[in-house]
Structure formats: structure tokens, C-alpha cells
Amino acid sequence: MSIITSNSVGIVQAQKAHFDTQISLKSGEALPQFDLVYETYGTLNVDKSNAVLICHALSGTHHVAGRYAETDKYPGWWDNLVGPGKPLDTNKFYVIGVNNLGGCHGSTGPASINPLTGKPWGAAFPIVTVEDWVQSQARLLDYLGIQQLAAVIGGSLGGMQALEWTIAFPDRVRHALVIASAPNLTAQNMAFNEVARQAIITDPEFYGGDYYSHQAVPRRGLRIARMLGHITYLSDDVMGEKFGRKLKDDIKYSFDVEFEMESYLRYQGDKFAGEFDANTYLRMTRALDYYDPAKDFDGDLSVALKSAQAKFLVVSFTSDWRFSPERSKEIMQALLDNELSVSYAEVTAAHGHDAFLMPDKHYHDILRAYLQSVEVW
Amino acid sequence: MSIITSNSVGIVQAQKAHFDTQISLKSGEALPQFDLVYETYGTLNVDKSNAVLICHALSGTHHVAGRYAETDKYPGWWDNLVGPGKPLDTNKFYVIGVNNLGGCHGSTGPASINPLTGKPWGAAFPIVTVEDWVQSQARLLDYLGIQQLAAVIGGSLGGMQALEWTIAFPDRVRHALVIASAPNLTAQNMAFNEVARQAIITDPEFYGGDYYSHQAVPRRGLRIARMLGHITYLSDDVMGEKFGRKLKDDIKYSFDVEFEMESYLRYQGDKFAGEFDANTYLRMTRALDYYDPAKDFDGDLSVALKSAQAKFLVVSFTSDWRFSPERSKEIMQALLDNELSVSYAEVTAAHGHDAFLMPDKHYHDILRAYLQSVEVW
């Protein structure tokens, strides 16, 4: 029996768009040329009015839905949301997933070859921002011949990109779905990022970011960063339910794995450290730290959103202590100040920040209803 | 002008007690002999009825109050609480601070010389528990000729020791002050400990715990552990107030210190890594993980506390997300189930877990009033 069910987008393939004109970055640096890897699901309609862009979070990729082969163990990271008949319905929408600039899944990033040196960029790869990602995603839309998005959607750092789309390109996006996100990070959030980065940067195998040429990988640091990340993605309650104080065996009076939670964290850390690029991780966390559209407007988010024209769905989750409902409400208030159309849902969910990835029925019903209301022609 | 104010215990000196009969540990191991370093403030009365033991938390020491010299920049860690006229009044009480077994401030610990090998214990130093600490503290009381404590007091891990005193030696303690503590750690708390330990253990300079003989120090790991700790000691709100998103200077698009909070965390991490012993840190966190008096009673804390006779003051702080008020209430409920005398205060405080160290007036008034009611003769 096939693992490809009838509401799956099925077997998918990544594509690569090459851009040979430079992109100027917020840092003042520029990339002379760049690639973006992307996937699409569904069909672009004749009027090109049904495109939906999905922006990924910290460790996400362009592989949002479907599988690369029948034998693939796991589908894309938001497969529960995207497919024929699913809340983001590919019978209606043409859905685009893209790997962000600076990523490590095919788009130009720190591990890519710097054309000027013929060697991996490494430490020399610029720091990219949410604003840069949105600019580069707009270039991808140009490449695909799409003038306007029916919607842009993202959770967490992806939600920041969705929000930024409405500021940077008000006439290129009709709807923005900003999920489990915030208008900027709190000091506590930035502090977790800083600890994660310091774990990586002080790993002796980091070599100042040029580990590629040393045939080294700062695996220890990346592992610690990911273990820490996983704690903050889950709520205290769900960790309690899932693991509690359960022991693998008896107490052994050791520093080995004794509690089940330790086993989970080490597994997640090891897995990630074997897959993800540390330089990308550093840049993704810095992009999170820096994003703050209100900064240039004396901290006034309402003024920052003055140019926005999109309609909004803002969703938060009760147990999300990393991107709490209060932060989503700040976004909502600033949108209301601008008399924009905004729907807000605070979903009761146990899973903490991770809830935005879960197929919770109430949550999915909200997305489905909203996306059904999005007009295409 | 002297920095020693009239309500200070003044210039103090640490003392060392040597125990040359073995102590059996909960792990099944034993230490053939051991030292405990301690300080005392105030005067033991004739009936020896006025002794108060202070139990320290993760990184605390025996140096609770006063200074070692007029030129000392900082006093002991709970100096705001302990002194003549202070809430824990040394005009009334004879106060004892002790460095726990396994510590790194003079009591026998992993950096001490193992008499069997003539070399530092290192990895071979046993894992010590809250129960072991209480046993060793009782030996110190014997040494000082004190049969019964007027009170035992501790915050966080120190509160666990105070609680354990009432279980292990019900007739040797009249009052227990259990502050910002819990009857065991939540999974989330244990997860933070695990990340901290893994940062230390995977530091290449850890050498399996035997770094002393390699003239090495796992400074990177200990630094990460401490940075992480500091995030969890503060509330999200107080981090926001204290640092917010304040930049040291302009955004530099770098991984250097840019936000003030980063500077704070790195400073705290560096300072700690230069002072504290990594093997001690590992053991302190494991003691936190393991403590769970209800474990042998099907998780029923009320049964675990059946033998307790002390009177209790339990204090929690509203913004403490590491040892939340809910956990203190579990202790209170179990005490009430046993018809023990218990006062409970939930203090409105912004500082998170660190609040138990702060000289908040309401908090100190509560401690003062309770300690004034403690009878000595």
C-alpha cells in the first residue's frame, strides 16, 4: 500500500532558480548572484491569482509537503496543512515553499561556493535579515511570473516574514497569515539565541566559521543549541505529560541518559547536528534578533505598518511561552490602529510554540475557514 | 569610611571541620573521610537552642554573610538577610553556613585529593544527593555540639535540603523555611540541567571529568551552562525591563556583543567559568534532578512527609517560572495533609527565581515576622 494518501501532494521535486543580478542586503553587503531552491504544489491559475507563499522558520526548508520518493519516511514539514482538501488546499491554491537565503538546503548560503574565491563562503557569508529574505522571495515571484500573492503564511520566524511582506510589498500580497509570531523578540528569546550561538562559536571545531576548509563540523555546539531550542519549543506542561520524571531504568547515579527526557533531547540534538549547517543556524537566529519593524518608528508598530494593505489572520497558542499570545495581540492592535482587516485566534493548545506545526483540529479549522475566504479568480 | 555597616556581621572567617569516619552515600558509594567548610554568625546560646542552618543552592557557598576583609567588594551571598537586626537576626540566632559535600569552596569535592590515590578525585568523586547533604550537615551539627536546629532555611535547591531535614531528622529541626523550591524538578527544569551538563561534558577540555590532571578546564561548557542558568533565574519581564532590546551601539551585523543582554550573559558566563568547578556543577544539577522524596511512596508527597514534625514557612514568587508557586503549593498541601503547622506566602515579585535572593521589603517582612516567632531559650 502506498504511503501517498489521496490528500497528499504526492511525490514532489525541488527546483532551483538562479539569479545573476546582485541582491543588496540590509547590512550594506551584497551577493553578486544567488540561487533559491523551491517547491510548488498545485497549479498556478491563468490569472496567476492563486499563489500562496510559505515562509519557513529557524530550521525549516522549501520542502513543505509531499515526499521525494514512495520510500521517504517523512513528508515535508507542513504536510499536515498543505494538500488537496487540506486547510491550505492545493486544489485551489498554487503553493510555493522556498529555502531562505543563507540556508543550508540548496539556496545560496555559507556552505555555498563563493564565486570570487572558488571556496565556501564560510564566515564571509553576509548576515541576512527578514527584510532580505522578503526581497529575495519577491525576486522568486518575479521569476515565476507572479505579480501578487493571494496569501503569504508563516509561523514563528516565518510569521515575521509574512508580516514583513505586507510592509515591503503592500500591493503584492492580499492576505497575510501570521502564526505563533511576534513583532520582535523579547530579551529572553534573544538570550536563548545568544546561548545557542555561543555554544556554536566557542566550539573548537567552529574555526571562526571557516570549518569547511578544516574538514571540521562544530557538532557539539550545534547539538547544544538544538537541545536548548527543543526545550523552548515545548511547553512545561507538555514536557511534563510526554516525559515527566520517567526513568529509562533505575537511577544509576551517573551523567548518562537516565531520564527519558534526556534521551529525547540528546537524540534531537545529535540528529540536527548531523544535518544542519552551523553557519546557517547562527544567521537564522541573528535574523530573529534583528527583526523589529517598529525600530525605525520610535518603537511604534502602528506607524511601521502604515503602508500595509493586506488582510490578516493572526493566530497564537495559549501555551506558547516563546511567542506568547500577548505578542500576537501587539500585532493585532497595530493592524487595528491602521483600520486593516484582521482576524485573531488564540488557540487553546498544550504543545507550546510547536503547536503551530501540529494538526490540531480547532487550529486547522480556523486556517481552513480563513483560506476558503481568500478569493482567487 | 568602613563598608562594614552596623547591621553587618562584619569581618568573618571560614572554618573547616574534618570528619574521619566514613559517610555512606545514597548511591551506595562512600567517602572514607571528608571536610566541611562553614561559617557562623552570632553566638550559640547556653542551651544551644538558637542555631539556624542555611542550605545553599546550585552555586552557593558557606560564605552567607559578612566580608573576609574591609576591602572585600562583595559580602556573602545572603548578606541582605543575615545580620544584627536583619530578618535572620544574629542578635538572636546562631547562624551556620556550610559548603556542601561535592562543592568547590573548601568542602571535600571532585577537586579534592583522593586519599587513596594522592590525586584529585575528578570523575571518581561520587554523585552526592540532597539526602547525603543533610546527613553530612547533621554530622556538622554533632561536631558543633548542636542537637536541634531552631530552624533550617534554604531557597531553591537549598529549600529541598530544608524539606529533607524535616524528613530525615524530624526531632532535630523545629522550623523549616522552604523558599522558591519544589518537591522535585519538572521535566523542563531537568531538561535545562541536561543541556548545561552536556555543554560541560562534551567540552573537549573535560577529559571525562579528569581535566585536573590535564591542566585543563572545561571553561566553554561551564560558561554556556551558566549563561543558560541566568536566563532561567530571571523572569521574562525582568529581562525585558533590565535589558529589553537595548543595543550597546548600532547594529553591526555580527555575532559579537550587540545587545546589552548579550554583554550581561557573557560576563556572567565568563566570571563563573573562571571561579567554579565543572565537576561540582554537574553534581549539583544531578542532585536537583534526583531529589524526589515522594518517589518511594508512589509519588505521594503527603506520605513522604509523614514523619515530619517541624513547623513550616513556605514562600514562592509570582514570576518564578523555574520553581513556580504551584510547586510550593504542592509542598503546602502535603504538609496540611499531615496536620502540620504551615504558613504560606506567595510574594508578588518581578525578579523570577532570583527573587529569593533579593531584599524585597514584603518578602523580608514575612521572613522577619516568621523568624521573630521562632522560640529560643
Side-chain angles (χ1 to χ4, degrees):
Chain A
M1 204 183 78
S2 170
I3 54 166
I4 309 295
T5 54
S6 64
N7 65 352
S8 167
V9 298
I11 303 292
V12 298
Q13 224 176 348
Q15 299 174 74
K16 186 176 278 192
H18 178 71
F19 301 89
D20 56 11
T21 52
Q22 94 163 16
I23 184 166
S24 300
L25 304 171
K26 208 181 172 196
S27 65
E29 296 195 63
L31 287 170
Q33 55 184 55
F34 64 100
D35 295 331
L36 289 180
V37 168
Y38 66 100
E39 288 179 16
T40 67
Y41 323 107
T43 309
L44 187 61
N45 64 11
V46 178
D47 287 322
K48 300 182 175 177
S49 69
N50 70 335
V52 174
L53 177 69
I54 295 185
C55 302
H56 70 70
L58 200 60
S59 59
T61 71
H62 54 288
H63 185 40
V64 175
R67 296 171 200 252
Y68 291 136
E70 284 270 352
T71 50
D72 258 13
K73 205 169 159 190
Y74 299 107
W77 58 270
W78 221 349
D79 190 81
N80 61 39
L81 185 79
V82 179
K86 289 185 181 172
L88 180 40
D89 190 346
T90 49
N91 290 329
K92 174 180 180 182
F93 293 111
Y94 176 68
V95 179
I96 308 160
V98 59
N99 184 217
N100 279 339
L101 207 56
C104 55
H105 290 87
S107 293
T108 299
S112 305
I113 299 298
N114 178 349
L116 299 176
T117 64
K119 290 179 189 164
W121 280 95
F125 194 84
I127 290 188
V128 284
T129 63
V130 168
E131 291 87 342
D132 297 331
W133 288 332
V134 169
Q135 292 295 329
S136 67
Q137 289 159 2
R139 297 273 290 270
L140 179 64
L141 289 202
D142 296 342
Y143 172 93
L144 295 171
I146 297 164
Q147 172 50 30
Q148 189 184 59
L149 291 167
V152 58
I153 176 169
S156 190
L157 178 55
M160 288 177 164
Q161 294 161 62
L163 185 64
E164 180 58 25
W165 257 99
T166 70
I167 297 171
F169 298 104
D171 55 351
R172 296 194 73 172
V173 53
R174 297 200 298 282
H175 294 267
L177 287 75
V178 180
I179 303 172
S181 195
N184 62 29
L185 288 196
T186 62
Q188 189 187 65
N189 256 332
M190 291 198 293
F192 282 124
N193 283 346
E194 169 68 0
V195 174
R197 277 195 302 270
Q198 286 295 305
I200 292 168
I201 286 172
T202 63
D203 185 321
E205 304 208 58
F206 181 64
Y207 292 102
D210 290 319
Y211 45 88
Y212 313 109
S213 57
H214 289 82
Q215 282 75 52
V217 174
R219 200 177 282 266
R220 295 179 197 92
L222 197 52
R223 176 173 179 270
I224 294 297
R226 187 61 165 182
M227 291 174 77
L228 177 54
H230 268 277
I231 300 177
T232 69
Y233 306 151
L234 298 176
S235 69
D236 190 12
D237 282 351
V238 93
M239 283 197 102
E241 272 168 43
K242 204 167 170 177
F243 307 108
R245 299 182 50 84
K246 265 177 269 173
L247 287 156
K248 298 282 277 185
D249 200 349
D250 270 349
I251 285 182
K252 292 196 169 59
Y253 299 94
S254 79
F255 302 120
D256 299 336
V257 164
E258 297 198 0
F259 293 96
E260 288 190 6
M261 170 275 310
E262 295 167 353
S263 170
Y264 169 79
L265 286 181
R266 291 192 196 186
Y267 172 80
Q268 295 292 348
D270 287 336
K271 185 162 165 278
F272 192 72
E275 288 170 1
F276 208 83
D277 183 66
N279 276 323
T280 291
Y281 198 83
L282 294 178
R283 281 161 183 74
M284 296 282 165
T285 60
R286 228 15 170 175
L288 268 167
D289 290 351
Y290 286 152
Y291 189 61
D292 187 10
K295 183 170 181 284
D296 293 336
F297 302 97
D298 281 337
D300 190 334
L301 187 64
S302 303
V303 181
L305 284 165
K306 229 175 177 62
S307 59
Q309 299 170 21
K311 294 180 175 176
F312 285 80
L313 174 65
V314 179
V315 181
S316 69
F317 300 93
T318 49
S319 61
D320 184 350
W321 58 282
R322 190 128 190 225
F323 290 81
S324 71
E326 284 63 38
R327 306 309 317 279
S328 282
K329 284 178 196 157
E330 288 177 40
I331 297 174
M332 178 179 59
Q333 189 53 58
L335 297 170
L336 291 175
D337 288 345
N338 285 294
E339 294 178 355
L340 290 163
S341 163
V342 48
S343 301
Y344 174 69
E346 185 172 320
V347 178
T348 303
H351 277 87
H353 190 52
D354 261 0
F356 88 87
L357 296 167
M358 303 280 165
D360 174 83
K361 189 179 179 314
H362 178 211
Y363 165 47
H364 270 198
D365 284 349
I366 290 163
L367 293 185
R368 182 185 298 274
Y370 189 88
L371 287 163
Q372 279 175 348
S373 78
V374 171
E375 288 180 11
V376 300
W377 50 85
Chain B
M1 204 184 81
S2 172
I3 54 167
I4 309 296
T5 54
S6 64
N7 65 352
S8 166
V9 298
I11 302 294
V12 298
Q13 223 176 348
Q15 299 173 73
K16 187 176 276 191
H18 178 72
F19 301 88
D20 56 10
T21 53
Q22 98 163 14
I23 183 165
S24 300
L25 304 170
K26 206 177 173 197
S27 65
E29 297 194 64
L31 287 170
Q33 54 184 58
F34 64 101
D35 295 329
L36 288 180
V37 166
Y38 66 99
E39 288 179 16
T40 66
Y41 322 107
T43 308
L44 186 61
N45 63 13
V46 177
D47 286 323
K48 298 181 177 179
S49 69
N50 70 335
V52 174
L53 176 70
I54 295 183
C55 302
H56 71 72
L58 199 60
S59 59
T61 71
H62 54 289
H63 185 39
V64 175
R67 297 173 199 250
Y68 291 137
E70 284 270 351
T71 51
D72 257 13
K73 206 168 157 191
Y74 299 108
W77 59 270
W78 221 349
D79 189 80
N80 62 39
L81 187 80
V82 180
K86 289 184 180 171
L88 182 38
D89 191 344
T90 49
N91 289 328
K92 175 180 180 181
F93 293 111
Y94 176 69
V95 178
I96 307 160
V98 59
N99 183 217
N100 278 340
L101 208 56
C104 54
H105 289 87
S107 292
T108 298
S112 306
I113 298 300
N114 178 347
L116 299 176
T117 64
K119 289 179 189 164
W121 279 95
F125 195 85
I127 290 188
V128 284
T129 63
V130 168
E131 291 87 342
D132 297 330
W133 288 332
V134 169
Q135 292 295 329
S136 66
Q137 289 159 3
R139 297 274 288 271
L140 179 63
L141 290 201
D142 297 342
Y143 171 93
L144 295 171
I146 298 165
Q147 171 52 28
Q148 190 185 57
L149 289 167
V152 58
I153 174 169
S156 189
L157 177 55
M160 290 174 163
Q161 294 162 60
L163 186 65
E164 179 59 25
W165 258 99
T166 71
I167 297 170
F169 297 104
D171 54 352
R172 294 193 74 172
V173 52
R174 297 199 300 280
H175 295 268
L177 287 75
V178 180
I179 304 172
S181 195
N184 61 30
L185 288 196
T186 63
Q188 188 187 65
N189 255 334
M190 290 198 294
F192 282 123
N193 282 346
E194 170 67 0
V195 175
R197 277 195 302 269
Q198 286 296 304
I200 292 168
I201 286 170
T202 63
D203 185 322
E205 305 208 57
F206 181 65
Y207 292 101
D210 290 319
Y211 44 89
Y212 314 108
S213 56
H214 289 81
Q215 281 74 52
V217 175
R219 201 179 281 264
R220 295 179 197 89
L222 196 52
R223 178 174 176 268
I224 295 298
R226 186 60 166 184
M227 290 173 77
L228 177 54
H230 268 276
I231 300 177
T232 68
Y233 306 150
L234 297 176
S235 69
D236 192 9
D237 282 351
V238 91
M239 283 197 103
E241 273 167 45
K242 204 167 170 176
F243 307 109
R245 299 180 51 82
K246 264 177 271 172
L247 287 156
K248 297 283 277 186
D249 199 350
D250 270 349
I251 285 182
K252 292 196 171 57
Y253 298 96
S254 79
F255 302 121
D256 300 334
V257 163
E258 297 197 0
F259 293 95
E260 288 191 5
M261 168 275 309
E262 296 167 355
S263 168
Y264 169 79
L265 286 181
R266 291 193 196 184
Y267 171 80
Q268 295 292 347
D270 288 336
K271 185 163 165 275
F272 192 71
E275 290 170 0
F276 208 83
D277 185 65
N279 276 323
T280 291
Y281 198 83
L282 295 177
R283 281 161 182 77
M284 295 283 164
T285 60
R286 228 14 170 177
L288 267 167
D289 290 352
Y290 287 151
Y291 190 61
D292 187 9
K295 184 170 182 284
D296 292 336
F297 302 97
D298 281 336
D300 191 334
L301 187 63
S302 304
V303 181
L305 283 164
K306 233 180 175 60
S307 59
Q309 301 171 18
K311 294 180 175 174
F312 285 80
L313 173 65
V314 178
V315 181
S316 69
F317 300 92
T318 50
S319 61
D320 186 350
W321 58 281
R322 192 131 190 220
F323 291 81
S324 71
E326 284 63 38
R327 307 309 316 280
S328 281
K329 284 178 196 156
E330 287 178 40
I331 296 174
M332 179 177 61
Q333 189 54 57
L335 296 171
L336 291 174
D337 288 347
N338 285 294
E339 295 178 355
L340 289 163
S341 162
V342 50
S343 302
Y344 173 69
E346 186 173 319
V347 178
T348 302
H351 277 84
H353 190 52
D354 261 1
F356 88 85
L357 297 167
M358 303 282 166
D360 175 83
K361 187 178 178 317
H362 179 210
Y363 164 46
H364 270 197
D365 283 350
I366 290 162
L367 293 186
R368 182 188 296 275
Y370 189 88
L371 287 163
Q372 279 175 347
S373 79
V374 171
E375 288 181 14
V376 300
W377 50 83

